[in-house]
Amino acid sequence: MTKQVFETTWGGRPLQVEVGQLAKQANGAVLVRYGETVVLSAVVASKEAKGTDFFPLTINYEEKMYAVGKIPGGFIKREGRPSTDATLTARLIDRPIRPMFAEGFRNEVQVTNTVMSVEQDCSPAMAAMLGSSLALSISDIPFEGPIAGVEVGRVNGEYILNPTVEQHESSDIDLTVAGTSEAINMVESGAQEVTEADMLGALMFGQEAIQELVAFEEEVAASCGKEKMDISLLQVDEDLQKAIYNNYYETMKTAVLTEEKLAREDEIENVKTIVKEAYEEQITALEEEASDHLAQEVNQIAEDLEKDVVRELITIDKIRPDGRKVDEIRALSSEVGLLPRAHGSGLFTRGQTQALSACTLAPLGEHQVIDGLGVEESKRFIHHYNFPKYSVGSTGRAGSPGRREIGHGALGERALSQIIPSEAEFPYTIRLVAEVLESNGSSSQASICAGTLALMDAGVPIKAPVAGIAMGLVSDGEKYTILTDIQGMEDHLGDMDFKVAGTKDGITALQMDIKIQGITEQILREALAQAKQARMEILQQLTSTIAQPKEELSPYAPKIEMMSIDPEKIKDVIGKGGDVINGIIDETSVKIDIDQEGNVSIASSDAEMIKKASGIIKDLTKEIKPGEVYLGKVVRIEKFGAFVNIAKGKDGLVHISQIAKERINKVEDVLHVGDEVLVKVTEIDKQGRINLSRKAMLKDDEKTDDKKDSKSTKE
């Protein structure tokens, strides 16, 4: 294939797609140039279906540090495991693409996006999403796209497509929305307490831009797309399915309506076991390949039976597995102060979902350093999410967090970051860790509620409490039912996971994933309204437990004092090779952080040591002015005069002629090292040297040998 180039504009910036020159052995590959951002997207697929009960799709997003002219940090100096941002971006691309494959497709598909150049105002994540969709569209892989994604911001009430870095800073909405030309199928957003109507407006604004981008992709695919490969979809025998449904539908229905989660799971598994045992003799009588095929069919039909029973109960009978109404929240409870040594802690329980959040406060110097492709270099609010296997009553590998844990942690961080006080208001690095202790649906939103409790228990002056709720959807053609507070089964077997977090005044985070190819504006509007009603109910529960942040910090939290110094004086505090600041730290055992603007943070659990360190820094940075009077200490004697320390790191010279009213022969006739002496600043020369006078402080009738103004260490 010869190289083909396609051009358009996107958000006011040039977009160029190149096909046919690079990665020609992949099933499909495109080079996306968005401004000066360059991403290579390549897709490959196995020729045969995998024997799995799920679609094996993998999306990779590989950040190359040369893209921004950096060498990776650390000893090895090469890219290693994906950064948090890369992991989140891979998930962001996966979510709108996964629903666009046929039910029963089991061929392994791998999409690799390599970020090769980054212009900060032209999002590499959005370029990679476009490239992923285009590479699949022009390949022979049976992708039912294309899809596209855009970023939406809002500045001064005006929606902006793919905002620049500068626009991002002043935007009250940070939205990524993806979908097809007909409907939205993925949403990820943070916002500064915006209304449901404003968020819906942003979504619809994004959908219009998506339609234009999809039309461009369709032109590219029509020009150079390959013929799609023939595939075999995993399908079951209709007669076998009919027989199993006729015999076991009511039994499964009874099992599904068991109210308690673990008991319900046991009952459902019992029904599936009965189904499998009914065909066991028939399965064992067949040859190996046919036997395996029939066993797989029976297993699949048993799974489908559970799914269809649940969906029919919800859409037709409006009955949920645990007996709740469609807009009813499970029982709520909350508590604070469970962990005495943590700086703050909160426990939130909603039905059989429970999260414990612990808050840690630290000096600003403990902020997280970010070594990535973006403009952000550090952050002072961190939210982590852990999901141990015991939370769902199972065993499994315990190790570093996976994509799901990273994603849920980031969602909680996005929701809560909107209400974190500024550094000036609260000069601490803040870390929240959510431990999911029990899970039956929407543990990510429980972690947000627990995080709010922990922050208030820690005394963090948050702007307002935040609560989160997960909404679900079960649709059958034009009929659909929106569910409030979905449990695990409804999430697994339903069509949508729609998470909304916010305060009483508005939305702070929004996330939507769906298993169908898109949802309408009407469904979005209803889901947002239903979620708001639930959020208010949860907020009432949280504030009944702790109405406002505690006025005092935990006795185990570090105390921090902020002060500002002249940036020109920073060198005086640091000293040569850090000797001065290290001396202060050794003397007081405090932690000191200084930024380039001269903001100084002093942290310690001992308030007296903070005061002492603060005094030393004030002395070091004090601006000495002519005419000021100090009680200093003689630190050095020379033939021509005495050096007197008048402040920390500030020595001045009292010339021999300025020691006494009368002429003296030797400095030692009057002064000795260690004497305290009252002096006046007479001059600060161009080199910053301080000249002092003792004589100016003596009364006319005062004799030198009286030494009324000095105290000799030898006396």
Side-chain angles (χ1 to χ4, degrees), residues 6-10 13-16 32-34 130 213 216:
F6 304 87
E7 296 179 337
T8 186
T9 57
W10 185 15
R13 279 148 258 164
L15 173 65
Q16 180 176 296
V32 178
R33 296 182 182 273
Y34 183 33
L130 174 68
L213 207 52
F216 171 68

Side-chain angles (χ1 to χ4, degrees), residues 548-593:
Q548 58 189 18
K550 289 184 176 179
E551 294 185 1
E552 294 186 357
L553 303 183
S554 163
Y556 303 110
K559 310 300 183 289
I560 296 179
E561 179 179 322
M562 295 294 294
M563 58 186 296
S564 295
I565 62 173
D566 184 344
E568 295 294 325
K569 304 284 186 181
I570 294 176
K571 62 182 184 298
D572 297 331
V573 179
I574 301 296
K576 186 177 181 181
D579 60 341
V580 176
I581 194 169
N582 288 332
I584 301 171
I585 293 170
D586 290 341
E587 184 178 344
T588 61
S589 299
V590 301
K591 182 175 179 60
I592 302 173
D593 295 303

Side-chain angles (χ1 to χ4, degrees), residues 3 56 75 201 241 250 290 317 325 338 359-360 479 490 569 621 654-655:
K3 178 179 176 179
F75 178 76
Q241 184 182 52
E250 291 302 321
D317 301 326
K325 299 175 183 177
L338 275 79
C359 179
T360 305
K479 295 180 181 178
E490 294 164 338
K569 304 284 186 181
T621 58
V654 182
H655 190 268

Side-chain angles (χ1 to χ4, degrees), residues 448-709:
I448 292 170
C449 298
T452 291
L453 294 170
L455 287 167
M456 291 200 289
D457 186 50
V460 179
I462 59 173
K463 298 174 184 176
V466 172
I469 189 70
M471 313 297 294
L473 173 74
V474 178
S475 61
D476 181 15
E478 294 185 359
K479 295 180 181 178
Y480 63 87
T481 301
I482 296 172
L483 303 173
T484 294
D485 181 23
I486 55 173
Q487 57 184 313
M489 172 182 280
E490 294 164 338
D491 182 8
H492 177 62
L493 302 177
D495 297 323
M496 176 180 78
D497 184 8
F498 187 78
K499 302 182 179 85
V500 187
T503 68
K504 64 179 179 60
D505 294 325
I507 295 169
T508 60
L510 184 67
Q511 186 183 85
M512 184 191 78
D513 297 310
I514 63 172
K515 298 168 188 172
I516 53 180
Q517 294 193 354
I519 60 172
T520 64
E521 179 181 354
Q522 180 62 29
I523 292 176
L524 284 169
R525 180 179 287 107
E526 290 181 26
L528 284 168
Q530 204 163 309
K532 181 179 181 180
Q533 179 183 347
R535 187 171 83 241
M536 296 305 168
E537 185 177 336
I538 297 172
L539 283 170
Q540 186 175 5
Q541 165 64 34
L542 299 181
T543 53
S544 68
T545 300
I546 180 167
Q548 58 189 18
K550 289 184 176 179
E551 294 185 1
E552 294 186 357
L553 303 183
S554 163
Y556 303 110
K559 310 300 183 289
I560 296 179
E561 179 179 322
M562 295 294 294
M563 58 186 296
S564 295
I565 62 173
D566 184 344
E568 295 294 325
K569 304 284 186 181
I570 294 176
K571 62 182 184 298
D572 297 331
V573 179
I574 301 296
K576 186 177 181 181
D579 60 341
V580 176
I581 194 169
N582 288 332
I584 301 171
I585 293 170
D586 290 341
E587 184 178 344
T588 61
S589 299
V590 301
K591 182 175 179 60
I592 302 173
D593 295 303
I594 308 175
D595 65 20
Q596 294 180 345
E597 284 73 42
N599 296 311
V600 182
S601 168
I602 308 171
S604 173
S605 58
D606 188 334
E608 286 301 314
M609 289 297 102
I610 291 178
K611 184 178 180 181
K612 183 176 181 180
S614 172
I616 294 172
I617 293 173
K618 286 176 181 176
D619 284 345
L620 285 169
T621 58
K622 180 176 176 57
E623 186 176 352
I624 308 298
K625 297 179 180 179
E628 292 181 336
V629 176
Y630 294 90
L631 179 63
K633 181 178 285 188
V634 178
V635 293
R636 194 166 94 241
I637 300 290
E638 299 290 349
K639 290 182 179 180
F640 52 82
F643 285 93
V644 177
N645 177 250
I646 57 175
K648 187 77 173 178
K650 304 290 183 182
D651 294 348
L653 173 64
V654 182
H655 190 268
I656 191 170
S657 65
Q658 293 297 314
I659 292 177
K661 291 286 187 179
E662 68 278 9
R663 177 183 175 85
I664 62 174
N665 294 320
K666 292 172 60 180
V667 175
E668 291 90 337
D669 289 342
V670 179
L671 298 177
H672 303 88
V673 172
D675 285 354
E676 289 186 349
V677 58
L678 200 63
V679 293
K680 183 176 184 178
V681 180
T682 58
E683 180 191 23
I684 300 175
D685 66 18
K686 293 180 179 179
Q687 284 76 40
R689 293 176 298 196
I690 304 169
N691 292 319
L692 306 171
S693 174
R694 174 180 178 271
K695 183 169 69 174
M697 301 307 299
L698 295 174
K699 296 177 182 178
D700 291 339
D701 60 347
E702 199 164 6
K703 302 296 183 182
T704 299
D705 56 0
D706 288 341
K707 297 187 179 180
K708 292 181 180 178
D709 66 321

Side-chain angles (χ1 to χ4, degrees), residues 61-72:
Y61 180 82
E62 299 181 352
E63 297 175 319
K64 302 300 180 181
M65 298 302 286
Y66 57 72
V68 289
K70 291 182 181 179
I71 294 176

